Amino acid sequence: MKKHPSPPSSVALAESGVILKPWPGKCHVGLIFPQRYGLAMSNLGYQTVYRQFNAFDDVVCERFCLPDKADGKLRSIESDRPPTAFDMLAFSVSFENDYPHILQFLDRARLPLPANERTAAHPLVVIGGIAAMLNPEPLAPFADILLIGEAEAILPDFMDCYRQTSNRRQFLKQAAETVPGAYVPAAYAIAYDAHGDIATVTPDPGFPATVNLARMPDVATIDTSSTVVTAETTFADTCLIEVSRGCPHGCRFCSAGFIYRPTRYRDPAFLTESIHHAMARASRVGLVGAAVSDYPDLSAICRQFKGADLRFSFSSLRADALTDDLLQVLKANRTKTATIAPEAGSQRMRNVINKGLAEEDILCAADKIVTAGIPNLKLYFLVGLPTETEEDIHAIVALCRQIKSVFLDASRRQKRIGTITVHANPFIPKPATPFQWTVMDTVAALQTKARILRSGLKTIANLRFQMGKIRDGYIQALLSRGDRRVADLLLQRHHSGGNWSQALKQSALDTAAYVTRQRDRDAILPWDFIETGISKKFLWHDYQKALQGRMTPPCPPAGCTRCGACPA
Ligand code: SF4
């Protein structure tokens, strides 16, 4: 294989922090984010893996994204090389609806799509990322190996194993045996029963029956911040820094809240130092985490940078955690829009999903935000939640009306009126959550609910409403909940020029069985072979509590063994 020297591309030259390493004598890893460049560079997980691969002396890792034009060339950003010049192609997948892009990439790289048609002469295809970590099965036939878990906990052992043998079959077997989170799908035979449900999963001799999700016991002092800072992202000129991993609140619809348990925080001194480093590289710091406002010293840390020429943004702030300090930071940053995520309109529904927000918390947050001088509000809701009735949909309209009233009073006091935007998205029952057994609403039911919302919300002046695409939600649910037979549908879509409707029409697969069918407690779910550390018994019990409208308290700081994720 020709490994020609190439100069850095113009994109790489325009970036700060890009890693350029000499090629000879190294393992060459192409790291692919199956989306456009701007989104890739806004993804902290992808950026972190880029740095981690390059931290190995014997590895050169270069980035690939989807080209802007359909016929654009696939070339690495750093040295303009084609995918086939690399020993390994590693995909980082955050979102199920990007799965078709993996097939597109492999095809355009002139690689056979099914792993069993590739040989040792082709690059090794590795897939990781949160979507693959929740349920890798729809991607199983396309990957030589999947990495299930947090990259920091996997890559050192993975690369050690890779160095030990040049025989691919031997490497895959050894990785499955010794690397935490390594999953070689070809080594597992799946049998189905007469109803089409999974009956048995049989590993080849020597392969483990289950795959343990790999996670870092402690993230206090590991560096997860933007490696590359560039103007062409959603967060232009922003250095992203992870402040915490996981979330203690246990919202029952949220896969990140379960899969990243237990909640782990950065050491405050280390975080402060990371912010100082970031200041030298960007004018803005984005603090990232599933629940940034839970970080114990957040206000104190932000106060230390008062007066500095630095603007902060936060990936998530809970409505019940908006302290005056945080609001002052937002105001000082000239923030124009703040987000509140009530998720549901009625208290009953918020209890079912374990949101832990009372109506007063939501109204109080709206008032505080506008009073602090932030004029615009974004509100997020889910539609189609378990046990939801039309009454619960009307309750969303009623809550928005109340928020509007509070918003108007506070805006008048400020002598400035902004806008409220309401976003509603279809609920998807995600793997590894207490709702993994439940159903997604049918497309027709979601359309009816969207109509009720639209007609109710249009009577509220100066309020915009956006409903997430219902069909995209259905596809996401299918890819999120499917077994490896769904891979055939991905292939069919690919061969029909990316046309989902045609692929769904032509397929014999009963897609509704994955999306809108209630599953029994003892059903073998496609992702059951992944040991997340959270007991299935706990998830089922929490689901039953949800159906009764009972809440589960947030994770305590220590001494809890409730779900199984924390060490006993
Ligand atoms: S064991 Fe307790 S504290 Fe730990 S993640 Fe589970 S519920 Fe939270």
Side-chain angles (χ1 to χ4, degrees):
M1 196 176 298
K2 194 178 166 201
K3 294 185 176 166
H4 54 281
S6 295
S9 71
S10 55
V11 177
L13 288 170
E15 297 171 318
S16 107
V18 58
I19 301 169
L20 297 171
K21 289 168 94 175
W23 261 53
K26 300 274 187 356
C27 166
H28 306 110
V29 178
L31 182 63
I32 302 125
F33 193 81
Q35 259 299 348
R36 303 269 181 261
Y37 173 78
L39 282 176
M41 292 302 106
S42 310
N43 189 290
L44 188 51
Y46 176 70
Q47 291 237 16
T48 304
V49 175
Y50 172 61
R51 186 174 50 245
Q52 281 165 356
F53 265 125
N54 276 310
F56 300 112
D57 287 341
D58 56 349
V59 173
V60 174
C61 176
E62 301 198 349
R63 294 161 294 153
F64 284 90
C65 309
L66 291 190
D68 287 333
K69 290 188 198 139
D71 58 353
K73 280 187 182 162
L74 292 181
R75 312 291 293 195
S76 69
I77 292 173
E78 282 74 7
S79 69
D80 205 32
R81 287 177 163 95
T84 44
F86 289 77
D87 303 302
M88 192 187 296
L89 294 173
F91 289 86
S92 170
V93 202
S94 304
F95 186 48
E96 294 85 358
N97 290 25
D98 287 338
Y99 291 177
H101 300 154
I102 297 178
L103 276 67
Q104 270 168 30
F105 188 97
L106 293 174
D107 199 11
R108 291 188 48 198
R110 299 184 191 288
L111 295 170
L113 302 183
N116 60 10
E117 290 177 19
R118 296 192 294 263
T119 67
H122 296 114
L124 181 82
V125 174
V126 185
I127 302 182
I130 182 169
M133 181 165 148
L134 287 167
N135 174 21
E137 286 307 273
L139 293 173
F142 312 114
D144 293 305
I145 186 165
L146 285 125
L147 301 181
I148 311 290
E150 299 173 3
E152 305 92 339
I154 302 177
L155 291 187
D157 290 333
F158 177 73
M159 286 312 301
D160 268 354
C161 185
Y162 185 81
R163 286 178 198 109
Q164 282 168 29
T165 172
S166 56
N167 178 308
R168 185 169 292 186
R169 285 172 71 87
Q170 217 172 314
F171 159 70
L172 291 173
K173 178 134 195 286
Q174 204 169 313
E177 277 170 7
T178 61
V179 177
Y183 170 50
V184 178
Y188 295 78
I190 318 282
Y192 302 93
D193 65 17
H195 307 287
D197 291 329
I198 296 175
T200 55
V201 179
T202 313
D204 284 353
F207 283 82
T210 56
V211 175
N212 290 330
L213 186 143
R215 43 168 88 80
M216 294 297 286
D218 182 0
V219 299
T221 56
I222 59 167
D223 186 12
T224 37
S225 56
S226 299
T227 307
V228 175
V229 176
T230 167
E232 291 177 55
T233 71
T234 322
F235 309 109
D237 194 27
T238 301
C239 187
L240 302 173
I241 301 175
E242 185 186 48
V243 299
S244 60
R245 201 168 289 180
C247 166
H249 295 282
C251 297
R252 292 173 175 135
F253 58 85
C254 176
S255 46
F258 284 91
I259 207 90
Y260 287 117
R261 282 183 174 204
T263 314
R264 290 148 290 165
Y265 297 104
R266 280 295 193 86
D267 172 72
F270 191 80
L271 178 59
T272 307
E273 201 186 309
S274 302
I275 297 173
H276 277 294
H277 285 148
M279 280 172 72
R281 306 176 56 213
S283 61
R284 206 177 176 109
V285 166
L287 299 181
V288 176
V292 174
S293 46
D294 283 291
Y295 188 80
D297 303 289
L298 188 62
S299 297
I301 286 180
C302 292
R303 261 200 311 271
Q304 288 181 42
F305 293 88
K306 205 172 168 184
D309 189 17
L310 178 69
R311 291 170 72 182
F312 281 104
S313 60
F314 307 99
S315 67
S316 57
L317 294 175
R318 273 180 67 92
D320 54 357
L322 284 175
T323 61
D324 290 342
D325 269 341
L326 280 181
L327 286 163
Q328 284 316 309
V329 172
L330 289 176
K331 190 179 171 191
N333 289 334
R334 301 186 285 282
T335 304
K336 295 283 179 284
T337 304
T339 299
I340 304 175
E343 314 289 4
S346 66
Q347 192 59 51
R348 184 196 76 80
M349 199 73 257
R350 283 195 298 276
N351 291 351
V352 168
I353 61 175
N354 209 41
K355 184 68 195 178
L357 279 184
E359 193 172 281
E360 305 83 81
D361 296 325
I362 298 162
L363 298 177
C364 179
D367 178 53
K368 277 180 169 180
I369 288 166
V370 181
T371 303
I374 300 163
N376 305 311
L377 275 185
K378 259 191 209 169
L379 305 172
Y380 278 92
F381 291 94
L382 289 168
V383 177
L385 288 162
T387 77
E388 184 182 85
T389 62
E390 279 195 9
E391 222 170 281
D392 295 306
I393 301 298
H394 288 295
I396 296 178
V397 179
L399 179 63
C400 290
R401 205 178 293 285
Q402 279 179 286
I403 293 173
K404 178 67 194 281
S405 165
V406 168
F407 173 86
L408 268 186
D409 287 348
S411 300
R412 284 192 190 112
R413 289 196 303 272
Q414 292 295 309
K415 300 191 174 28
R416 177 162 73 151
I417 294 195
T419 55
I420 299 180
T421 310
V422 175
H423 295 264
N425 285 301
F427 158 73
I428 291 163
K430 288 282 190 151
T433 69
F435 288 152
Q436 64 179 357
W437 291 273
T438 195
V439 299
M440 181 178 177
D441 252 356
T442 61
V443 169
L446 286 166
Q447 282 167 340
T448 304
K449 289 175 180 178
R451 265 197 300 277
I452 296 173
L453 271 183
R454 195 165 288 115
S455 73
L457 292 172
K458 81 175 177 210
T459 63
I460 305 175
N462 207 16
L463 179 143
R464 290 187 207 136
F465 172 56
Q466 290 173 353
M467 179 75 204
K469 286 190 183 144
I470 292 171
R471 204 192 70 134
D472 287 359
Y474 186 90
I475 301 287
Q476 192 192 349
L478 177 61
L479 297 177
S480 169
R481 302 180 54 76
D483 54 37
R484 53 177 74 176
R485 289 170 296 183
V486 170
D488 290 339
L489 193 62
L490 280 167
L491 271 176
Q492 239 158 339
R493 180 206 173 271
H494 183 72
H495 295 312
S496 61
N499 187 329
W500 267 122
S501 307
Q502 200 176 318
L504 288 166
K505 224 180 276 169
Q506 285 170 354
S507 168
L509 202 65
D510 178 8
T511 57
Y514 296 104
V515 180
T516 55
R517 184 177 54 135
Q518 179 72 36
R519 307 308 311 273
D520 295 338
R521 185 185 66 178
D522 299 324
I524 301 178
L525 302 170
W527 50 90
D528 272 355
F529 71 93
I530 301 173
E531 281 292 345
T532 62
I534 300 172
S535 77
K536 210 172 164 184
K537 198 168 154 205
F538 169 84
L539 291 178
W540 177 262
H541 181 61
D542 208 44
Y543 174 40
Q544 298 313 301
K545 283 172 79 179
L547 297 179
Q548 296 155 14
R550 287 163 56 210
M551 307 272 298
T552 295
C555 300
C560 174
T561 53
R562 231 170 29 208
C563 78
C566 288

